[in-house]
Amino acid sequence: MKRILSALVLIPIVLGIVQYGSLELFSILVLGAVVAGWFEYSRMLGAMGTPGFHKLGLALCVLLTLCFYINGFYLIWLAAAPLVLLLHALTQGPILKHNLDQTGYTFLGVGYVAGLMSFFILIRALEPGHFMIYFLFLVIWGSDSAAYYVGRSIGKTRLAPEISPGKTVEGSLGGLLGGVLGGLIAKYGFWHELALNHCLIMALFCGIIGQFGDLVESMFKRAAGVKDSGTLIPGHGGVLDRLDSLMFAGPAFYCYEILIRSPLPV
């Protein structure tokens, strides 16, 4: 029941902001997800015994999200962030390896949480950005749903037993088909200008990358010894639990759109 109630509350809010909100409001939504995701990532680091630099990492997450909003200063951030982290590590005492571990995990986490999530700001700024985000939602939701039901029905071959014992090769293949179906629903439902060849390629590409994102988050949870990344969304776990696939699919979609689809006639 909690799972259903959470979905009934959150889905209309998110879709409403995507459809009717300004880019600024959508960016605030992304920033909220980034902040929540960073707290969850820090919690998992603590469970692993390497807490990282929580406050500094949070500040770097906010600044990186701001870079995506203004679509600039990426190289300055990329040059400054490691320098700031290393200078901070020098002030943390003589345990060199521990300090370097914290530095590395903090930088990794900022890129993982803020770097991946913030690509949705760039996507929303494109035309038609809201259709593109709906496309991604349908692809990932279709992939996740199909992977779950196919895996439960006929799944036998374990995909990555040490990382996520419940995932199967059969479920993964079913998920790719579900993602393609989701992409086709988006094309014929509202994004009519999207050429069929691009629709199929993007849906399959994002479906594959999305499953990789799911496994990456499972790897973090397995290393931390936790079932969910957080408890923010009742019945669903944490923000990272809900967005793990989308976080990887978003950058993949954006790169395809900018580097391949846009220059081609559709």
Side-chain angles (χ1 to χ4, degrees), residues 2-3 5-7 9-10 36 40 228-243:
K2 289 183 179 180
R3 187 179 184 90
L5 290 175
S6 297
V9 172
L10 289 176
E40 293 174 4
D228 296 317
S229 64
T231 59
L232 182 63
I233 309 174
H236 291 264
V239 169
L240 296 180
D241 292 313
R242 290 300 90 204
L243 301 183

Side-chain angles (χ1 to χ4, degrees), residues 143-206:
S143 178
D144 287 348
S145 299
Y148 175 77
Y149 287 110
V150 172
R152 286 196 63 181
S153 300
I154 62 173
K156 295 181 180 179
T157 308
R158 301 299 178 188
L159 179 65
E162 294 184 358
I163 297 175
S164 184
K167 292 182 174 60
T168 65
V169 173
E170 295 83 0
S172 176
L173 295 175
L176 295 181
L177 292 177
V180 170
L181 178 60
L184 290 173
I185 292 173
K187 171 180 168 49
Y188 292 107
F190 51 84
W191 196 4
H192 306 294
E193 297 81 9
L194 178 63
L196 180 59
N197 61 326
H198 289 305
C199 172
L200 296 174
I201 293 172
M202 285 195 296
L204 186 61
F205 182 42
C206 291

